[in-house]
Amino acid sequence: MITLTSAEENYLKAIYHLSDGGKKGVSTNDVSAEMKTKPASVSDMLRKLGEKEVIEYRKYYGLHITEEGKKMALQTIRKHRIWEVFLVQKLKFSWDEVHEVADALSHVKSKSLIQRLDEYLGYPKFDPHGDPIPDEFGDVRVRPRLPLNEIELGSTGQIVAVKDSSPAFLRYLDKVGAYIGARIKVIDKTEFDGSVEILVDNKKSIFMSKDVAGNILVMV
């Protein structure tokens, strides 16, 4: 049985995300930038992960996560997102506060703990940021969604997730009143700079830059 340290789990999770779920290769520089770590330290960690056969290196194609690596990454992601739901729903953390706490809790090895927590929460399908929660078998429920800046003028939809989950961005969304689950309508789009104006819940009008709108995901 493969056992990973907390640091190794974090690296594996990062590689999984960078590789788009194992669909493409990842460079050492990509991992270094994602983990905010010097390339020398990254190379040492990648060597360890390679020895445990959760990643492999292919010349000209970069790093690839193995099938076993995918399973382990998805279980870490599952635990992280379930803990985020618990922290927001039961302990009343705000959605911009939970990442670091959930990250620490996601490395707890008890399988029965996460199973009971999942049951206690009513088997949630999505975390507070709208990201899908893998089930115990690693299956992920995917729903169609588009960046808000790509929604056509006059179209309606529902905010279901955010691409940027940094605390600063989430606090900004709280400030302007754009939240997961909000019903929106695109009422204006500016060709010059790509900014948009949306109507939230048929009540409040919000102007957004192209960058902000591009980080909000909508199901139409």
Side-chain angles (χ1 to χ4, degrees):
M1 180 179 178
I2 300 171
T3 301
L4 301 180
T5 66
S6 296
E8 289 169 343
E9 286 182 338
N10 283 338
Y11 268 83
L12 190 62
K13 183 170 66 173
I15 294 167
Y16 177 85
H17 286 308
L18 289 168
S19 69
D20 191 19
K23 296 176 184 176
K24 59 183 181 181
V26 177
S27 73
T28 301
N29 287 338
D30 290 336
V31 180
S32 178
E34 178 72 15
M35 301 302 295
K36 298 179 175 61
T37 306
K38 294 179 180 179
S41 299
V42 171
S43 295
D44 184 55
M45 178 60 74
L46 296 179
R47 178 185 56 78
K48 293 177 182 178
L49 292 175
E51 290 173 352
K52 294 185 177 182
E53 299 183 346
V54 292
I55 65 168
E56 59 183 18
Y57 175 75
R58 300 176 190 170
K59 194 173 183 180
Y60 307 119
Y61 293 93
L63 301 165
H64 283 261
I65 190 167
T66 66
E67 287 302 314
E68 185 61 28
K70 289 179 192 177
K71 292 177 184 178
M72 299 188 78
L74 283 165
Q75 288 308 307
T76 302
I77 292 167
R78 168 177 162 78
K79 290 186 287 184
H80 183 106
R81 293 177 179 173
I82 288 176
W83 277 116
E84 286 192 335
V85 174
F86 175 77
L87 291 167
V88 169
Q89 288 190 1
K90 303 302 180 180
L91 300 188
K92 306 307 178 185
F93 278 71
S94 62
W95 66 337
D96 61 282
E97 296 177 311
V98 295
H99 180 78
E100 289 188 4
V101 181
D103 182 63
L105 292 168
S106 70
H107 300 300
V108 175
K109 302 299 183 184
S110 173
K111 186 175 181 180
S112 61
L113 173 62
I114 207 66
Q115 288 174 332
R116 294 187 184 191
L117 187 62
D118 191 27
E119 180 182 8
Y120 173 67
L121 294 170
Y123 305 102
K125 302 299 182 185
F126 301 92
D127 74 7
H129 309 109
D131 292 316
I133 299 174
D135 67 17
E136 60 182 313
F137 305 107
D139 293 327
V140 182
R141 176 184 175 184
V142 179
R143 54 186 174 186
R145 54 196 192 177
L146 289 171
L148 176 55
N149 64 321
E150 295 181 14
I151 304 299
E152 293 183 2
L153 181 64
S155 296
T156 60
Q158 183 177 34
I159 297 176
V160 295
V162 291
K163 291 170 67 176
D164 182 350
S165 57
S166 66
F169 184 69
L170 299 179
R171 286 193 293 268
Y172 170 78
L173 294 185
D174 282 338
K175 182 178 179 180
V176 300
Y179 62 95
I180 301 293
R183 300 295 307 182
I184 63 98
K185 180 178 182 179
V186 179
I187 57 177
D188 193 24
K189 299 186 76 171
T190 304
E191 183 179 355
F192 173 70
D193 61 1
S195 60
V196 300
E197 182 182 2
I198 62 172
L199 185 65
V200 178
D201 294 332
N202 290 317
K203 297 176 182 178
K204 182 179 181 180
S205 174
I206 302 174
F207 291 91
M208 292 181 172
S209 70
K210 180 180 179 180
D211 286 344
V212 169
N215 277 295
I216 295 174
L217 299 175
V218 176
M219 182 169 64
V220 294

